[in-house]
């Protein structure tokens, strides 16, 4: 079994034994070649999650680098969604879930009492498997968050500001839609109900909602699994582009997709264990663990 973890300078730390015939020093040499693109945005240490008697995540530690795409893969039930929900405390909403351990966002513990969960979930946004736009206009879907957070003034202040406020809102809506690669498709339908968009457009709208509130991290749980290949390709291109500015963590069952879009990949296996975490090429071409090799080559899962 391996227990791989990277520190912030990109050096690997491992207590593993090799099944590939290489010495541990040789593997260490490979790993130390891997440099994060930047600092760790999220640092997860010794994370355990129980749902009653079910131990869903076991002692997971990993550092998620900023401005990159981290893929989480593994068979059904291994804890990927549970892990993702730990990163913005969505598990707080599940009464059976008990979370132990530490998650730091930019070096600040998110599991402390005084954390403002609304602010946390603004900074760490989430996109789900099924697109979930509000049953409102395309434009309102985008402006709802900034209004709620006070980034666009409403009520009396808005009336006093008059047109200037409307310009501000229009600009914000356009910017978010452009950055989510959706503007050209919806610019003439901004007042139409978002539920009339295609599934792929709805999913990009959900991503645009995160961008509109200036999320820094975007968590995606199988964001393309309900989409056709063309819509999937658009989401994949968008995810790759987003990584220039955002930290993206994406759960996927599609190994080719993980290989195409991610910089690093974490492999969880049954029992809620993080078995290997490394540069994506290494996971797919030369994983250290036999179990990971069997999984990525389709022998099980
Ligand atoms: N709300 C919940 N209440 C109780 N148990 C849960 C809950 N959510 C998940 N679990 C359990 O935790 C374990 C991990 O589930 P999780 O949904 O995180 O897996 P997953 O890797 O995302 O699976 P999938 O690929 O099927 O989405 C499973 O045993 C599951 O039954
Ligand atoms: Mg899941």
């Amino acid at each position: 079994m391996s227990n791989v973890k990277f520190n912030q300078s990109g050096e690997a730390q491992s207590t593993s034994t090799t099944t590939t015939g290489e010495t541990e020093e040789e593997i260490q040499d490979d790993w130390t070649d891997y440099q994060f693109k930047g600092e760790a945005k999220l640092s997860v240490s010794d994370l355990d999650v129980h749902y009653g008697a079910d131990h869903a995540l076991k002692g997971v530690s990993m550092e998620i680098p900023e401005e990159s795409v981290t893929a989480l893969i593994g068979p059904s039930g291994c804890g990927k969604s549970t892990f993702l929900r730990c990163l913005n405390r969505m598990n707080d909403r599940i009464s059976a879930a008990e979370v132990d351990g530490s998650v730091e966002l930019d070096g600040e513990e998110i599991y402390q009492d005084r954390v403002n969960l609304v602010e946390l979930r603004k900074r760490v946004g989430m996109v789900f498997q099924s697109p979930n736009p509000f049953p409102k206009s395309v434009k309102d879907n985008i402006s709802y968050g900034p209004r709620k957070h006070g980034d666009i003034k409403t009520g009396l202040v808005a009336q006093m500001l008059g047109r200037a406020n409307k310009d501000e809102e229009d600009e914000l809506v356009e910017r978010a839609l452009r950055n989510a690669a959706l503007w050209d498709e919806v610019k003439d339908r901004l007042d139409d109900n978002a539920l009339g968009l295609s599934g792929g457009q709805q999913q990009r709208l959900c991503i645009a909602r995160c961008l509109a509130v200036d999320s820094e991290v975007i968590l995606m749980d199988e964001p393309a699994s309900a989409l056709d290949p063309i819509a999937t390709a658009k989401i994949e291109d968008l995810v790759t582009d987003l990584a220039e500015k955002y930290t993206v963590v994406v759960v996927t069952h599609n190994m080719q997709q993980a290989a195409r879009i991610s910089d690093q990949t974490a492999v969880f296996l049954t029992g809620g264990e993080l078995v290997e975490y490394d540069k994506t090429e290494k996971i797919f071409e030369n994983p250290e663990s036999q179990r990971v090799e069997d999984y990525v080559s389709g022998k099980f899962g």
Side-chain angles (χ1 to χ4, degrees):
M1 192 199 87
S2 61
N3 176 16
V4 182
K5 174 177 166 183
F6 295 98
N7 65 21
Q8 291 195 15
S9 62
E11 289 165 354
Q13 303 166 338
S14 171
T15 54
S16 55
T17 50
T18 170
T19 55
T20 58
E22 291 168 283
T23 65
E24 194 157 275
E25 287 71 27
E26 282 168 337
I27 286 176
Q28 287 278 3
D29 279 352
D30 274 358
W31 290 346
T32 47
D33 286 344
Y34 178 34
Q35 294 293 319
F36 283 164
K37 280 187 189 165
E39 294 292 304
K41 185 73 182 171
L42 288 155
S43 301
V44 178
S45 311
D46 299 324
L47 195 66
D48 272 85
V49 179
H50 288 85
Y51 297 102
D54 183 6
H55 197 172
L57 274 187
K58 295 189 184 129
V60 173
S61 297
M62 65 188 276
E63 309 232 319
I64 297 175
E66 65 181 0
E67 294 171 4
S68 67
V69 180
T70 302
L72 311 179
I73 62 170
S76 185
C78 68
K80 303 176 300 293
S81 298
T82 298
F83 178 79
L84 203 66
R85 289 196 299 264
C86 287
L87 303 181
N88 70 350
R89 292 187 54 174
M90 291 286 271
N91 285 322
D92 286 21
R93 294 183 181 173
I94 299 174
S95 56
E98 191 189 315
V99 180
D100 294 299
S102 160
V103 177
E104 289 180 356
L105 174 64
D106 286 337
E108 289 248 357
E109 178 61 52
I110 68 168
Y111 283 92
Q112 44 182 330
D113 290 343
R114 59 188 170 80
V115 167
N116 177 336
L117 293 183
V118 173
E119 182 64 22
L120 172 66
R121 291 177 191 144
K122 176 184 170 189
R123 291 180 66 194
V124 185
M126 197 154 202
V127 173
F128 298 89
Q129 180 172 14
S130 303
N132 59 346
F134 309 125
K136 293 167 175 280
S137 71
V138 170
K139 185 174 162 183
D140 285 346
N141 263 273
I142 304 294
S143 53
Y144 176 83
R147 280 173 185 275
K148 196 175 83 173
H149 293 293
D151 297 340
I152 298 176
K153 304 290 177 288
T154 52
L156 196 58
V157 180
Q159 281 171 24
M160 284 160 61
L161 289 173
R163 249 208 83 64
N165 181 262
K166 190 174 175 312
D167 288 349
E168 186 193 356
E169 178 172 342
D170 288 350
E171 246 174 60
L172 189 146
V173 168
E174 180 171 342
R175 190 166 2 107
L177 290 170
R178 278 193 189 282
N179 290 340
L182 186 58
W183 174 251
D184 289 341
E185 291 164 61
V186 300
K187 61 177 189 278
D188 301 323
R189 309 167 62 177
L190 295 177
D191 295 320
D192 292 1
N193 194 309
L195 298 179
L197 300 180
S198 73
Q201 290 170 334
Q202 289 187 17
Q203 197 60 305
R204 277 176 286 145
L205 184 67
C206 294
I207 294 170
R209 284 198 309 212
C210 293
L211 308 185
V213 295
D214 287 330
S215 292
E216 298 157 41
V217 180
I218 305 179
L219 309 176
M220 301 184 178
D221 200 346
E222 303 185 50
S225 61
L227 305 179
D228 66 48
I230 292 173
T232 297
K234 286 187 183 169
I235 295 283
E236 289 187 6
D237 287 348
L238 174 58
V239 166
T240 311
D241 289 347
L242 289 176
E244 284 176 21
K245 198 168 157 218
Y246 301 90
T247 303
V248 182
V249 186
V250 58
V251 171
T252 177
H253 269 123
N254 180 330
M255 301 268 203
Q256 287 80 15
Q257 182 171 81
R260 278 193 297 268
I261 65 176
S262 69
D263 298 289
Q264 51 277 326
T265 297
V267 188
F268 291 77
L269 291 180
T270 307
E273 238 184 289
L274 171 60
V275 176
E276 201 162 332
Y277 176 44
D278 211 321
K279 192 155 66 162
T280 294
E281 283 147 58
K282 174 129 173 68
I283 292 289
F284 285 98
E285 286 167 20
N286 183 24
E288 190 229 343
S289 147
Q290 187 64 46
R291 286 196 292 163
V292 170
E293 183 160 347
D294 289 348
Y295 180 69
V296 299
S297 62
K299 286 198 187 137
F300 74 93

